[in-house]
Amino acid sequence: MRTRRIGDVQVGAIGLGAMPMSIEGRPDEQRSIATIHAALDAGVTLIDTADAYHLHADEVGHNETLIAKALASYDGDTSDVLVATKGGHLRPGDGSWTINGSPDHLKQACDASLKRLGVDAIGLYQFHRPDPRVPYEDSVGAIRDLLDAGKIRYAGISNANPEQIRQANDILGGRLVSVQNQFSPAFRSSEPELELCAELGIAFLPWSPLGGSSSAGELGSRFAPFAEVARAHNVSPQQVCLAWMLAKAPVVIPIPGSSRPETILDSVKAVDLELSPEELGRLDAAG
């Protein structure tokens, strides 16, 4: 597995988005753990989660607990695995998503995530989504406090615009290491954030890079150039999509969601897929 940098840590250039293992349509625990183990076997060392990745109101942090269990039961070395979690989003249990970016909530959420993950410090803690009721500087200030207190090793933000990226980096004293935004062939409006991260040397983590669990399988039929390039290389359109993202900038680390060993094993092969400038141009124009 080729690596890329988050802060001072090298991680596999393809990460694992663990959300599908805990929300609607989730598989049984055994298959989820097998998926995480397969990812680790393939050299994945970045696993993305959040306390809000769960179904029912009484199982907050289901995904974090699952990841902790998978890491504990893995028979290899997990010391280089960076678990990235998030706080500030909530699921009341009725299928909806709500937001709480208050400093008190973020600090309490971090403490709860620490316990579920069973660690002394969270590898990467990210403010999940801006809360319009709370000044952004207050929310990011809470992340800074957690960083200063040693409860988190690295700080990131998610669903941010360029102004918020610059603001967060200032509040964190230049210690912002990652930005996690939606980016895929169907959703390209985060290109300015990607370019800013490349300029600043901050990791850019595209979430739903294949278009989300319900649409990932249709990527090739929705965007013909991805299928055409895939046929030319005898690989999947999903591999082409991830390779296209990796070629955009050295700071890009896609985190495709997966709940089956087969899909994450296909995804990681994208690190070895070399696309020509002409192919990349065709894919850029496919949106």
Side-chain angles (χ1 to χ4, degrees), residues 38-194:
L40 296 171
D41 286 342
V44 171
T45 54
L46 172 65
I47 303 176
D48 181 78
T49 182
D51 61 359
Y53 295 165
H54 62 89
L55 271 178
H56 310 295
D58 62 351
E59 57 168 23
V60 174
H62 177 277
N63 201 242
E64 294 174 324
T65 302
L66 176 68
I67 290 167
K69 188 171 184 178
L71 291 174
S73 61
Y74 185 63
D75 59 8
D77 181 16
T78 60
S79 60
D80 61 345
V81 175
L82 181 66
V83 176
T85 191
K86 298 180 283 292
H89 230 343
L90 302 92
R91 298 201 80 189
D94 59 1
S96 67
W97 296 76
T98 59
I99 302 172
N100 187 344
S102 70
D104 284 347
H105 171 77
L106 291 171
K107 291 176 180 181
Q108 291 168 9
C110 178
D111 285 342
S113 292
L114 277 165
K115 291 177 182 176
R116 285 188 292 265
L117 292 169
V119 294
D120 295 327
I122 292 171
L124 172 60
Y125 196 68
Q126 305 156 98
F127 177 38
H128 204 152
R129 186 176 289 274
D131 184 344
R133 301 167 303 171
V134 179
Y136 197 64
E137 59 268 24
D138 291 354
S139 299
V140 178
I143 305 298
R144 178 199 59 218
D145 293 346
L146 293 168
L147 191 59
D148 291 341
K151 292 187 175 184
I152 65 177
R153 289 173 58 202
Y154 294 106
I157 55 175
S158 184
N159 302 298
N161 62 35
E163 180 184 354
Q164 290 166 333
I165 293 171
R166 292 187 185 279
Q167 184 181 8
N169 199 33
D170 285 344
I171 293 167
L172 291 164
R175 294 177 293 171
L176 179 68
V177 302
S178 66
V179 174
Q180 183 178 146
N181 275 19
Q182 185 175 9
F183 186 73
S184 69
F187 190 94
R188 304 196 186 191
S189 61
S190 284
E191 193 99 38
E193 289 83 5
L194 189 161

Side-chain angles (χ1 to χ4, degrees), residues 9 24 46 55 71 96 162 185 198 208 218 221 224 236 242 284-286:
V9 176
E24 288 79 1
L46 172 65
L55 271 178
L71 291 174
S96 67
S208 288
E218 304 165 2
S221 58
S236 69
L242 296 172
D284 282 336

Side-chain angles (χ1 to χ4, degrees), residues 186-241:
F187 190 94
R188 304 196 186 191
S189 61
S190 284
E191 193 99 38
E193 289 83 5
L194 189 161
E195 292 172 358
L196 177 59
C197 286
E199 174 190 328
L200 298 176
I202 293 170
F204 183 83
L205 315 178
W207 62 264
S208 288
L210 304 177
S213 300
S214 61
S215 302
E218 304 165 2
L219 191 150
S221 58
R222 294 181 66 197
F223 301 95
F226 285 85
E228 293 161 5
V229 173
R231 283 194 293 270
H233 289 270
N234 196 29
V235 299
S236 69
Q238 292 77 18
Q239 264 187 60
V240 170
C241 177

